[in-house]
Amino acid sequence: GTGTVWFDDVSAYGTPTVTCSTVEDAPEIDGLLSEACWDAGSALSGFRVNDGSAPDLDTRAWVVGDSESLYFAFHCPRKPGVPLVKTITQRDGPVWMDDDVEVFISTSPVRGDYCQFVVNPLGTRYDSRRTDASWNADWTAAARESPDAWTVEMAIPVSQLPLELGAG
């Protein structure tokens, strides 16, 4: 259609991309990133802060899949001695207010039709379809902390996504 659109604080910058590799053995969702599928050479990097600037520390992410699920992993460096923000413990609480990782999966060519998955350093999960937090998928996540980083692993079954899949 036509009309007027107003934007505040907009930045445009590149988005890291990767082809989702297929794995034979699903990773164990324990937050450790010890499986071979999380090989450092296949990591996504070059993420940007909301204002388009480069972050102080470079988060790395991975995505792989099998016939059942999509698997995501994140390695989030942290400055030694700086505590992580991790207060939300209830499912579908405002996890994005903590330090977090977020995955948005667009399941339709319709702009704004997406599923959001969020995990904080405590492993607290939030999921929504668009902004509807009452939508709950059956998915798993785990987070781990170390003095210099925190890590997350997620498994999202494809059956939980609003997709109509055909052969192939």
Side-chain angles (χ1 to χ4, degrees):
T2 61
T4 304
V5 178
W6 301 92
F7 294 97
D8 291 328
D9 301 325
V10 173
S11 323
Y13 45 88
T15 302
T17 59
V18 67
T19 300
C20 180
S21 299
T22 302
V23 292
E24 294 294 320
D25 297 316
E28 181 179 350
I29 306 303
D30 57 10
L32 291 177
L33 309 191
S34 57
E35 292 85 2
C37 62
W38 310 136
D39 174 49
S42 64
L44 284 162
S45 61
F47 294 101
R48 296 287 185 213
V49 179
N50 289 343
D51 66 7
S53 65
D56 293 336
L57 301 169
D58 193 26
T59 293
R60 291 176 291 152
W62 296 262
V63 58
V64 297
D66 60 22
S67 62
E68 301 295 321
S69 297
L70 294 172
Y71 305 97
F72 297 89
F74 298 87
H75 180 270
C76 308
R78 61 189 272 198
K79 293 179 182 177
V82 177
L84 293 170
V85 178
K86 50 182 183 175
T87 59
I88 307 302
T89 58
Q90 73 272 13
R91 169 86 185 255
D92 288 339
V95 178
W96 58 88
M97 299 298 289
D98 287 351
D99 285 315
D100 72 299
V101 296
E102 301 186 33
V103 172
F104 291 82
I105 300 176
S106 178
T107 59
S108 164
V110 176
R111 183 170 171 80
D113 192 7
Y114 60 87
C115 298
Q116 180 182 12
F117 300 88
V118 185
V119 180
N120 72 4
L122 298 172
T124 306
R125 297 174 300 140
Y126 169 93
D127 53 4
S128 67
R129 173 113 188 254
R130 299 176 204 91
T131 57
D132 179 8
S134 68
W135 177 82
N136 285 309
D138 184 14
W139 61 291
T140 57
R144 297 278 179 143
E145 289 185 54
S146 70
D148 62 344
W150 66 286
T151 56
V152 172
E153 287 180 304
M154 305 163 79
I156 302 171
V158 175
S159 65
Q160 298 297 298
L161 300 172
L163 294 170
E164 293 186 25
L165 301 176

